[in-house]
C-alpha cells in the first residue's frame, strides 16, 4: 500500500520532468518553425545579395549581413588576443590574491552587464567621446567588451582543463614556463578556446541593443571601419516594429537564426571532434 | 554646417518613420542618378531627426510635425515635402464608424474607456499610442488633444506599421496612423462626420491633417540641396509620395 | 591491524605447541615401553603416530595457505616458515618415538642388563628436559632458553656414546639383535634431542631474523 | 642513447641565463596587462555611463529620480519608480515561470531522459540560448501577444507576454547552470541512493537537489540578471507605458525598454536620465554578481 | 503491485555452508554486447566471497546483476536465474527498489551524500518510512557502531559527511547501508580509492561483519582477495568480444595454493598479458 | 657563466654500489609546515630504490627535492645538501630547468601531451634544440624501443598520444623522458592509476632500464616496492605536525624478511593504524 | 610476465639440482671410503659438508626472500616452499653421507667379512639409483619417476635388514664396534634413500598441489 503510494509519487514526478524537458523542445520548435514557415519563402539569392529598396524596404538585406559579419569579425579580432592572454595569466601565472579576485569579479560583472548598458557605454565612449561616430569600429569595440569575459572564461576553463600532470610532464622534461604554456597548454586547449570564441561571436551576432547605439541604424554597406551600418538584428527590429514589410522581417529573422545556429553548431562540432580525438 | 564632418559623397537623412518610405525610395532614385553618392536613411522618429540635425550628425532631419520649443532656436530651414492626414483607426469588426474629435480626445486621455460609451459594444477600449519620438503623435497631440496629456497607461508602440497591425488584430483597439498607411485591414473612422480622404484633406474638411517636413541646418547646399530638389521633383512627388499614401505638396497648390 | 590474520598466526602456533607437548608424551611413553617391556604401551605409541603426522602435515598446509593468502613479511613470515619447519621436526621426532616403541616391541621379553636399561631411562629423562625447554622457548620466543638447548643436549650425546661403549663391554652376554635395537633406540633418543636443538635454532631465527648455521653432528 | 653514447655528451648542470629570466618576466607582465582589461572595462563603463548620467542626480536629485512616481520626460518628470517596479514585476514573473521549467528541464536532462531523448533535448536547450533576443521579441509580438490578448482581454501587451517570452529566454541560462550543478554531484551519490532502495524521485528530491542547491540558486540569480537586463524582447511586448503595474494584461515599462524607447529623441536632462537608468541597471547586475560570489564562497566554506 | 521479498530473520547465524544466493546459467547483454555467459554459482551465507579477474571481464556487471542495479542502464538484458534465499529476484512483480534495500552496495569511490553524518545514515530508514527521532537515533548509532565509526564521529554527527577522510567516508557509506539492514553487501572495489591504513580498517570491518551479513567483494587486488575472502570466483573473458565466463569458484586458500584450472593459476601467478 | 662541475663519465657501468645521489641532512618546509627533517641517504647508481611509508609522510616531497620540482611551489624551503654525481643541485645559479632534464620524472597519472606519439617523444629533444628530422627520428625510435613501446606504436606514430591505453600512455611518458637522456628517473606512484597487466609491463620495464638509469620509485603498494626494488627506504611521520624522518634504508630483501627497525617491521607487517 | 621473478625461480631450482648432484657424489664417495677403507676420501667428504650445508641454507634464505618480496602463489609458491624443503633434505642427506664417512674413518684398518662390504656396496649402488631418479624427477617435474622412487627404495630397506641379519650371524667373528658402525652406515644409506623418497613426495605436491601424506617407516 505504502509502496504503491511511493511508486505513484515517483511516476507523477517523472511525468512532470518529462513535461518540462519536452516543453523546451516544443518552444524551440515553435520559434524555429514559425520563423521558418513564414520566412523560408522569402529567402533566396536576391534576398541575401541585394540592397533593400522601395517604400516598403523590398528587396534584399545584403548591407545588413555585411555589417553584421563585419562588426562581429572585427570584435573577434580585437577580443581574442586580449582575452586569451588574460586567461593565460589567470590560469597559469596568477597567485590567488586580491588582484586575481578583483579581476574575476570584474570579468563576472562585465559578463552580466545588460547589453543596453553596454550600448550606452559604447555610445558615450566610442561614438561620442572618442569621435568614432556610429561606425563599425564603435560597434566592434563595444561588442568586444561584451565578448571579453565570455572568451576569457571559456579560455581559462579550457586551460584549466588541461591536466596539471601534463604541465608537470613538460617541466619535468626541462621546459620553461613559457615553453610549457605555449607548446603544450595552449595547443591542448586550442579547440576549446576556439569553441569559446565562436560561441561568443554567435552571441555578438544576435546582439541588438549594443549595436543600435554604436553602429547606428542606417542601411549602408560598410567598407571602412568608420562607416556606419545596420546590423541584421536592428533591421529585424525595425521591420518588426514598423510592420511595413513582414515577409522581409521573417526572412531576416530566419537568416539571423540560421547564422546563429551555424555558429553554435560549428562550435559543438568542434568540441565533439576534439572530445573524440582526445578520448 | 556645424557638427560632424561628413564624407563629401554622403547625405545623411534621419527622422520620422512616417517620412521614412519617401526618403528611402528617393534615396534609391537619387543614388541611381548620382553614382558614387550615398544617401543614408534611418527612421528614428521625428524628434530624433530634429535632434540629429541640430547636433549635426545628420544633414536632413525628417519630421512629421512642426518644430516645437527650443528646436526653433537653432535656425533650421523647413522644406515641406508632403501633406498627411492622421486617420483614427479601429478594427474592421468594430461597429463604430465615426467619432467626434472630442470623443477621440476623451478616449486617448483615458476618460472614455468602454466602446459602449460611444455607441459600440460593451468592450474595454484598447488605446494604442505612439512613442514620444513620433511626429505623428506630436501632430495628433496638437490637433486632437490640444497638447493635453495622453492617458499614460495606454500601450505605446514605436512604429506606424505596428499600430496598424495591432489594431488589425485586436477588436477593441483604437489607434492613429498616417492616412497613407491605412489599408483594408483597419477601418479609418470618420471624424466629426468627415471620412478621411485626399479630397477631404485637401479641402480642409478632415480635421486631423499635417505637413511633412525636411529640416536642414541652414539653407541646403550642395548634395543636400540636390537631394531636396529631387524629392520635390514631380517624379518623386507624383509617383513616390502618392504610392506611399501621402498627398504631394503640389496637390494642395493644384487643388487651391 | 589485520586482526583475523594475527589470530590465525596465534592459533597455528598454539597447534604446533600442542603437537610439541604430544611429542613429549610420545617420547616418555616410548622410553617407558622400552624400559618396562610394555608392549601395549608401545603399540599405543605406534598407533598414535599417524595422528601426529596428520597434524604436522596440517600445520604445513595451513602455513602455506596463510602465506599464499595473507602475504606475510618479516616476523610474520619468519614465524610461519619456522612453524612449518618445526612441525616437520615434530613429525620426525614422532617417527623416532615410534621407532623406539618398535624397538620395545622387538626386545620385549628379552631381558638385558639393568645398567643399560638405566642408561636408556636416564637418557630419556634428559631428552624430556630438552623437549620441555624447547617448548618453553617456542612458547615464549625465549632466546635465552633456546640457546641453552645445545648445552642440555651435550649429556645426551654423551650418554649415547657411553651406552655404545657399555654395550660393547657387555657384548658377550647379550644377543646382538637386542644390542643393536638398544643402540638404535639410544641413537633415536639422541636424535630426538638433536631435532630439539635444531628447533632451538629455528626459534632464534624466528625471533631475530638471523640464521645461525645449523651444524649437525650426528655421529 | 645507449650508455656508450652517453659518454659522448658530458653532463653538467647548467646555470640560469639572464635573458630567459627577463623574457619570462616580460611575458608575465604582458599577460597581466591583458587580464586587467576586464577591470578596465568595468571602470570605464562606470565612469562614462556615470559621467553622462551624473547630471540627472545633481539636477533632478536622487530622491526625485529614484522615488518619483511619474516618468514624463517631456513634462520634466523623471521618476523611475514605475520603471523599477516594472522591471521587478517582469523579472520576478519570468523567474516564477521560467525557473521551475528550467530546473525541471535540467533535472530531466541529467537524471531522467534516455540518451536518445537527451541528445536532442540538450541541443534544443542550448539553441534556445542562441536565438537572438529580437527574434524572441518578434515571436512574442506576433504569436504570444495575440494569444495573451485572448486570455486577458485588451491588446496583449503587458507583463504576462513579457513573462512568457522572458521565461523562455532564461530557461537555457538556468537550465545549463543547473545541469552543471547536478552534473557536479558525483555519480556515485546517485548510485548509492538507488542502491539503498530509493526511487528516482526520492533520489532527485532528497539527494540531488539538496546537493546542487547552491549551484541552482546561483543559476536562478544569473537568470534573474539576464531577465533584468533583457531589452529588445521586452520592449517589443511589454506595452511601454511608464506606469505602475496594474495587471498582467496591462502595459507597463521597464528600465531597459524605456531607455531604448526614449533614446532616439531624448536630449538634455532627459538624455542624462537615461544614462542614469543605465547606471542603475549596471549597479543592479553588479550586485547580483556579488551575491553569486558570496554564495559560492559560502559553498566552499561549508564544504 | 510489487511483491516484497520474504525476509528470513537475519539474526540467527546460518549453518555453515548455507547458500544465500544461487545463480544459474546467467547470461548478460549490454544491448548487442554479450558480457557474461553461463554463470552458475552458490554464494554462501555469512561469508566473504571475492570476485577476481582481469579488467573488463564483467565482475562489476555480475555484481550488479545481483541487486538489479543493471536495470538502471537502458538496453540491458538478463537471462537465467538469480535466487536470493530461494526467491527469484527477477521474478515477475519483484520490486527492484525493495531488493536493493536487502542487497546493499558499496562503491569504489566513497560517496557520502552532501549532508550531515547523521542524515547520511538516517537516509535509508527515512526512505522506508522511519520518522520517529528516537528510533532514527538508535538506528544511526547502531549502524555507526557496526561500521566501527561511532567512536570517531559520535561528537560530530551534524558535521557534513564530506568533511571526513576518505577511509572514514567509506565506512560511513557502509554504516549507511547497514542502517537498512541488508542481508547481503555487495562491494565493488571498495578500497581502491582509499589509503592503505584505511584499507586495513575496512578489511577488518569486513571480517567482523561477515558474522551477520553475506559479503561479496570485487577487487583488482589479488592480495586483497586472498586476504579477506573465504571463497573466490575467477572470471575471465577469453577472447575480446566474447562473453566472459566463471572459470573457477572455490575456497580461497585452495585457489591461492593449488587452483584446479590452469587459467586461474596463470592469472594469479601473474603469467598473463 | 656556467660553472663546469665535474662530471663522471656516466656511460661506464658503475661498480656495484657506486653512489648516484647523495643526500645529507635534508630538511624541507612548506611555508611554516616542516615536512621533512634530517634525511640522509645514498642512492646507488643503476639500481631501483623504493620509497615507502604511510600517506603524507613526505615521500613525494622528498622525491621532488631531488629534481627541484618543489621550486615550482611558492613558499617552500630546502636545507641540507643534495649531490647528483657529487654536484650540489641547490648550488648557486644552478638552472633547475636543466637539472630536471637530467633527472626525469614520471607521475601517477599518465600525462601524454595532446599531440602525436611522435611529437610527444620529440618534445624534449626539440626543447633542447634538436631540429633535424633524421636525428629526431632516431631519438624517437630509440626512446620508444627502450620503453618497450616501439612494437606497439611504430605504425601509428602520428596518432594522438591520448588515444593509447593507460598503460601504454605511461610507457609513452617514460619514452618521452628517456628521449632527453636522463641519468635518473623519479617515479611517483607510476602504477597506481593503471590496470594490473600494464603494471606488470612497467615493472618489467623498470627491471630492464635499471641497467642504464638510476630509478627511484615512490609507491604505496608495499608488494610492488618489494617486487621491483633493490633497496628500500622507509619514511615515517611519527606524530601529526612533526616532520617526517627516514627510518630505515637498506636492501629490499632484508627489509622484507628481517628489518632492523621495529617501526619498519610494524609498518610492513601491517601492524599500524 | 614477471620475467625477473621467473628467472629467479629457475635459478634457485638449478641451485638445488646442483646441490642434489653433489649429494650423489658425496654418497658415492662416502660408500667408497667405507668399503675401501680410504680415510683420505672420507676426510674429504667430511670437509665438503660445510659447503653443502651453507648452500642449502642459502637456498632456504633465498626462497624466503623471494616469498617475502615477490608474493608468489599457487605453483610458484609450491615450488619455492618445496625447494627449501628439498634443500633441507639435502642438508640432512649430506650429513648422513658425512656420518658414513665418519664410520669409514672409525673402521678403517679393521677388516670385516667381505660379504658385508659387498652388501654395503650393493646398497650404496641402489641408493645411487634412487638419487639419480629423484634428481631426474625434480628436474623434469616428472610425476611418473617420482612415484617410482618408493619402489626403488624397497630393496634398500631389504638390504639393510639383510645386513642386520648377516651381522648377527657373523657376530662371533667381529668386534661389536665395527659391527655397530657398519649397521649404522647401512642404516644411514637407507635413510638417505628415505629422504629421496620424501623428496619424491614433495615433487608430487609441487606439481599437483596435492599432499600425499608421507608415511615414514624407519625401522
Ligand atoms: N554500460 C555499459 N554499456 C556497454 N558495455 C558495458 C557497460 N558497462 C560495462 N560494459 C562492458 O562490459 C564488460 C564488463 O564490464 P565490467 O565493468 O563489468 O568489467 P569489470 O570486470 O568490472 O572491469 P573492471 O575490473 O575494469 O572494473 C566490459 O567489456 C565493458 O566494456
Ligand atoms: N604544496 C603543499 N603545501 C603544503 N603542504 C604540502 C604540500 N604538498 C604536500 N604537503 C604536505 O606535506 C606532507 C608530505 O606530503 P607528500 O605529498 O610528500 O606525502 P606523500 O608521502 O607523497 O603522501 P602520499 O603517499 O599520499 O602521496 C603532507 O603532510 C602534505 O600535507
Ligand atoms: Mg568493475
Ligand atoms: Mg605522494
Ligand atoms: O513619423 P513618426 O515616426 O515621427 O511618427
Amino acid at each position: 500500500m505504502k509502496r504503491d503510494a511511493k511508486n505513484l509519487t515517483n511516476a507523477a514526478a517523472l511525468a512532470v520532468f518529462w513535461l518540462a524537458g519536452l516543453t523546451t523542445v516544443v518552444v524551440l520548435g515553435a520559434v524555429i518553425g514559425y520563423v521558418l514557415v513564414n520566412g523560408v519563402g522569402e529567402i533566396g539569392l536576391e534576398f541575401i545579395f541585394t540592397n533593400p529598396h522601395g517604400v516598403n524596404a523590398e528587396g534584399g538585406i545584403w548591407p545588413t549581413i555585411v555589417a553584421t559579419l563585419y562588426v562581429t569579425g572585427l570584435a573577434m579580432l580585437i577580443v581574442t588576443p586580449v582575452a586569451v592572454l588574460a586567461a593565460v595569466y589567470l590560469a597559469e601565472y596568477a597567485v590567488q590574491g586580491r588582484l586575481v579576485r578583483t579581476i574575476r569579479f570584474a570579468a563576472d560583472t562585465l559578463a552580466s552587464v545588460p547589453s543596453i548598458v553596454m550600448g550606452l557605454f559604447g555610445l558615450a565612449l566610442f561614438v561620442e567621446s572618442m569621435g568614432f561616430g556610429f561606425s563599425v569600429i564603435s560597434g566592434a569595440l563595444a561588442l568586444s567588451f561584451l565578448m571579453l569575459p565570455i572568451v576569457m572564461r571559456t579560455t581559462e576553463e579550457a586551460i584549466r582543463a588541461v591536466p596539471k600532470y601534463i604541465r608537470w610532464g613538460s617541466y619535468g622534461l626541462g621546459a620553461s614556463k613559457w615553453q610549457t604554456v605555449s607548446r603544450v597548454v595552449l595547443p591542448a586547449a586550442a579547440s576549446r578556446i576556439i569553441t569559446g570564441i565562436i560561441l561568443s561571436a554567435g552571441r555578438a551576432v544576435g546582439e541588438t541593443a549594443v549595436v543600435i547605439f554604436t553602429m547606428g541604424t542606417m542601411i549602408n554597406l560598410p567598407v571602412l571601419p568608420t562607416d556606419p551600418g545596420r546590423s541584421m538584428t536592428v533591421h529585424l527590429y525595425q521591420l518588426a516594429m514598423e510592420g511595413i514589410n513582414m515577409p522581409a522581417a521573417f526572412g531576416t529573422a530566419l537568416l539571423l537564426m540560421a547564422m546563429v545556429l551555424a555558429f553554435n553548431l560549428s562550435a559543438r562540432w568542434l568540441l565533439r571532434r576534439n572530445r573524440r580525438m582526445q578520448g | 554646417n556645424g557638427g560632424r564632418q561628413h564624407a563629401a559623397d554622403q547625405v545623411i537623412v534621419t527622422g520620422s518613420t512616417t517620412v521614412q518610405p519617401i526618403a528611402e525610395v528617393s534615396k534609391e532614385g537619387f543614388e541611381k542618378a548620382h553614382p558614387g553618392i550615398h544617401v543614408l536613411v534611418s527612421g528614428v522618429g521625428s524628434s530624433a531627426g530634429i535632434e540629429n540635425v541640430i547636433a549635426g550628425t545628420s544633414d536632413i532631419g525628417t519630421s512629421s510635425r512642426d518644430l516645437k520649443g527650443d528646436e526653433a532656436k537653432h535656425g533650421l530651414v523647413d522644406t515641406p515635402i508632403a501633406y498627411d492626414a492622421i486617420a483614427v483607426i479601429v478594427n474592421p469588426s468594430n461597429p463604430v464608424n465615426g467619432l467626434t474629435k472630442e470623443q477621440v480626445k476623451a478616449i486617448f486621455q483615458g476618460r472614455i474607456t468602454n466602446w459602449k460609451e460611444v455607441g459600440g459594444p460593451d468592450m474595454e477600449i484598447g488605446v494604442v499610442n505612439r512613442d514620444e519620438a513620433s511626429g505623428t503623435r506630436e501632430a495628433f497631440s496638437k490637433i486632437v488633444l490640444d497638447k493635453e496629456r495622453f492617458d499614460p497607461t495606454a500601450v505605446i508602440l514605436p512604429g506606424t506599421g505596428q499600430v496598424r497591425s495591432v489594431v488589425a488584430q485586436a477588436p477593441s483597439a483604437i489607434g492613429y496612423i498616417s492616412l497613407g498607411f491605412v489599408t483594408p485591414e483597419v477601418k479609418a473612422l470618420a471624424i466629426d462626420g468627415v471620412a478621411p480622404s485626399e479630397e477631404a484633406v485637401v479641402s480642409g474638411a478632415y480635421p486631423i491633417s499635417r505637413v511633412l517636413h525636411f529640416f536642414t541646418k541652414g539653407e541646403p547646399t550642395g548634395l543636400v540641396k540636390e537631394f531636396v530638389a529631387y524629392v520635390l521633383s514631380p517624379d518623386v512627388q507624383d509617383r513616390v509620395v502618392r504610392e506611399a499614401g501621402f498627398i504631394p505638396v503640389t496637390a494642395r497648390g493644384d487643388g487651391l | 591491524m589485520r586482526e583475523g590474520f594475527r589470530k590465525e598466526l596465534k592459533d597455528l602456533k598454539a597447534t604446533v605447541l600442542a603437537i610439541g607437548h604430544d611429542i613429549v608424551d610420545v617420547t616418555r611413553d616410548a622410553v617407558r615401553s622400552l624400559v618396562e617391556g610394555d608392549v601395549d604401551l608401545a603399540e599405543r605409541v605406534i598407533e598414535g603416530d599417524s595422528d601426529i603426522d596428520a597434524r604436522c602435515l596440517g600445520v604445513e598446509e595451513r602455513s602455506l595457505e596463510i602465506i599464499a593468502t595473507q602475504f606475510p613479511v618479516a616476523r610474520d613470515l619468519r614465524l610461519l616458515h619456522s612453524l612449518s619447519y618445526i612441525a616437520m621436526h615434530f613429525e620426525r621426532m614422532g617417527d623416532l618415538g615410534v621407532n623406539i616403541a618398535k624397538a620395545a616391541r622387538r626386545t620385549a621379553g628379552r631381558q638385558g642388563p639393568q645398567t643399560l636399561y638405566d642408561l636408556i631411562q636416564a637418557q630419556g629423562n634428559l631428552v624430556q628436559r630438552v623437549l620441555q625447554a624447547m617448548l618453553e622457548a617456542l612458547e615464549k620466543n625465549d632466546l635465552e632458553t633456546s640457546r641453552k638447548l645445545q648445552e642440555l643436549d651435550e649429556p645426551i650425546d654423551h650418554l649415547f656414546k657411553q651406552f655404545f661403549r657399555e654395550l660393547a663391554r657387555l657384548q658377550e652376554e647379550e644377543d646382538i639383535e637386542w644390542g643393536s635395537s638398544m643402540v638404535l633406540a639410544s641413537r633415536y633418543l639422541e636424535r630426538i634431542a638433536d631435532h630439539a636443538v635444531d628447533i632451538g635454532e629455528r626459534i632464534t631465527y624466528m625471533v631475530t631474523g638471523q640464521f645461525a648455521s645449523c651444524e649437525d653432528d650426528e655421529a | 642513447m645507449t650508455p656508450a653514447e652517453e659518454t659522448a655528451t658530458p653532463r653538467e648542470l647548467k646555470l640560469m641565463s639572464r635573458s630567459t629570466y627577463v623574457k619570462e618576466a616580460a611575458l608575465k607582465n604582458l599577460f597581466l596587462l591583458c587580464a586587467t582589461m576586464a577591470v578596465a572595462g568595468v571602470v570605464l563603463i562606470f565612469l562614462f555611463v556615470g559621467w553622462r548620467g551624473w547630471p540627472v542626480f545633481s539636477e533632478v536629485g536622487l530622491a526625485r529620480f529614484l522615488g518619483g512616481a511619474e516618468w514624463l520626460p517631456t513634462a520634466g518628470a523623471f521618476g523611475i519608480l514605475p520603471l523599477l517596479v516594472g522591471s521587478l514585476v517582469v523579472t520576478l514573473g519570468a523567474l516564477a515561470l521560467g525557473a521551475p521549467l528550467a530546473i525541471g528541464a535540467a533535472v530531466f536532462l541529467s537524471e531522467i531522459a534516455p540518451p536518445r531523448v537527451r541528445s536532442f533535448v540538450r541541443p534544443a536547450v542550448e539553441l534556445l540560448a542562441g536565438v537572438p533576443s529580437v527574434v524572441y521579441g518578434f515571436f512574442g509580438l506576433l504569436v504570444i501577444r495575440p494569444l495573451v490578448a485572448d486570455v486577458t482581454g485588451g491588446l496583449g501587451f503587458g507583463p504576462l507576454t513579457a513573462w512568457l517570452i522572458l521565461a523562455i529566454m532564461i530557461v537555457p541560462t538556468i537550465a545549463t547552470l543547473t545541469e552543471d550543478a547536478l552534473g557536479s554531484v558525483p555519480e556515485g551519490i546517485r548510485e548509492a541512493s538507488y542502491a539503498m532502495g530509493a526511487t528516482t524521485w526520492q533520489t532527485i528530491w532528497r539527494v540531488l537537489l539538496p546537493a546542487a542547491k547552491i549551484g541552482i540558486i546561483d543559476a536562478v540569480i544569473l537568470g534573474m540578471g539576464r531577465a533584468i537586463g533583457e531589452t529588445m524582447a521586452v520592449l517589443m511586448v511589454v506595452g511601454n507605458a511608464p506606469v505602475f503595474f496594474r495587471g498582467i494584461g496591462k502595459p507597463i515599462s521597464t528600465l531597459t525598454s524605456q531607455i531604448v524607447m526614449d533614446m532616439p529623441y531624448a536630449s538634455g536632462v532627459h538624455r542624462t536620465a537615461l544614462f542614469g537608468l543605465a547606471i542603475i541597471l549596471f549597479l543592479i547586475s553588479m550586485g547580483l554578481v556579488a551575491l553569486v560570489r558570496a554564495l559560492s564562497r559560502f559553498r566552499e566554506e561549508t564544504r | 503491485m510489487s511483491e516484497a521479498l520474504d525476509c528470513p530473520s537475519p539474526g540467527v547465524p546460518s549453518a555453515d555452508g548455507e547458500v544465500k544466493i544461487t545463480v544459474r546459467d546467467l547470461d548478460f547483454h549490454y544491448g548487442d554486447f554479450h558480457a557474461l555467459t553461463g554463470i552458475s554459482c552458490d554464494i554462501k551465507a555469512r561469508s566473504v566471497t571475492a570476485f577476481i579477474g582481469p579488467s573488463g571481464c564483467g565482475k562489476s556487471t555480475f555484481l550488479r546483476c545481483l541487486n538489479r542495479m543493471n536495470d538502471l542502464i537502458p538496453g540491458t538484458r538478463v537471462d537465467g536465474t538469480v535466487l536470493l534465499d530461494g526467491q527469484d529476484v527477477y521474478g515477475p512483480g519483484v520490486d527492484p527498489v525493495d531488493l536493493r534495500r536487502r542487497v546493499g552496495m558499496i562503491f569504489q569511490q566513497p560517496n557520502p551524500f552532501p549532508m550531515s553524518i547523521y542524515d547520511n545514515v538516517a537516509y535509508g530508514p527515512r526512505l522506508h518510512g522511519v520518522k520517529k527521532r528516537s528510533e532514527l537515533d538508535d538506528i544511526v548509532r547502531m549502524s555507526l557502531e557496526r561500521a566501527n565509526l561511532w567512536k570517531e564521529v559520535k561528537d560530530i554527527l551534524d558535521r557534513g559527511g564530506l568533511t571526513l577522510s576518505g577511509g572514514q567516508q567509506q565506512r560511513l557509506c557502509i554504516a549507511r547501508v547497514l542502517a537498512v539492514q541488508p542481508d547481503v553487501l555487495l562491494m565493488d572495489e571498495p578500497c581502491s580509492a582509499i589509503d592503505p591504513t584505511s584499507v586495513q580498517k575496512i578489511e577488518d570491518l569486513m571480517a567482523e561483519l561477515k558474522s551477520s551479513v553475506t559479503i561479496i567483494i570485487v577487487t583488482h587486488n589479488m592480495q586483497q582477495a586472498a586476504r579477506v575472502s573465504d571463497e573466490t570466483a575467477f572470471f575471465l573473458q577469453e577472447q575480446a568480444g566474447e562473453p566472459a565466463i566463471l572459470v573457477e569458484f572455490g575456497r580461497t586458500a585452495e585457489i591461492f595454493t593449488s587452483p584446479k584450472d590452469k587459467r586461474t593459476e596463470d592469472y594469479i601467478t601473474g603469467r598473463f598479458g
Side-chain angles (χ1 to χ4, degrees), chain C residues 50 53 57 60-61 64 67-68 71-73 77 81 84-85 88-89 91-92 95-96 99 102 106 160 164 167-168 171 174-177 180-181 183-184 187-188 191 195 198 202 205 211-219:
Chain C
S50 66
D53 283 1
L57 192 64
E60 190 189 342
E61 270 187 285
L64 254 194
I67 290 176
F71 309 95
V73 292
L77 177 59
H81 184 71
S84 109
Y85 261 64
M88 197 201 57
H89 279 296
E91 199 231 296
R92 289 275 156 190
D95 289 347
L96 290 167
N99 287 353
K102 282 180 182 167
R106 269 199 309 273
F160 167 62
F164 204 81
L167 190 69
Q171 66 181 105
E174 308 302 325
D175 63 295
I176 195 145
E177 205 200 330
S180 296
S181 289
V183 167
L184 284 175
R187 175 79 183 132
Y188 294 144
R191 276 182 56 217
H195 278 292
D198 277 5
R202 269 288 136 200
Y205 166 69
F211 267 106
S213 76
C214 335
E215 282 283 298
D216 267 72
D217 165 72
E218 289 220 358

Side-chain angles (χ1 to χ4, degrees), chain A residues 242, chain B residues 15-20 43-47 62-65 130-131 133-138 158-160 178 210 212:
Chain A
E242 283 310 324
Chain B
S16 167
T17 56
T18 315
V19 184
Q20 178 89 345
V44 292
S46 301
S47 298
T62 66
S63 173
S64 54
R65 61 167 170 84
R130 286 292 311 276
D131 55 302
S134 163
T136 316
R137 168 175 165 144
E138 182 66 29
T160 300
S178 283
R210 57 175 171 167
L212 303 184

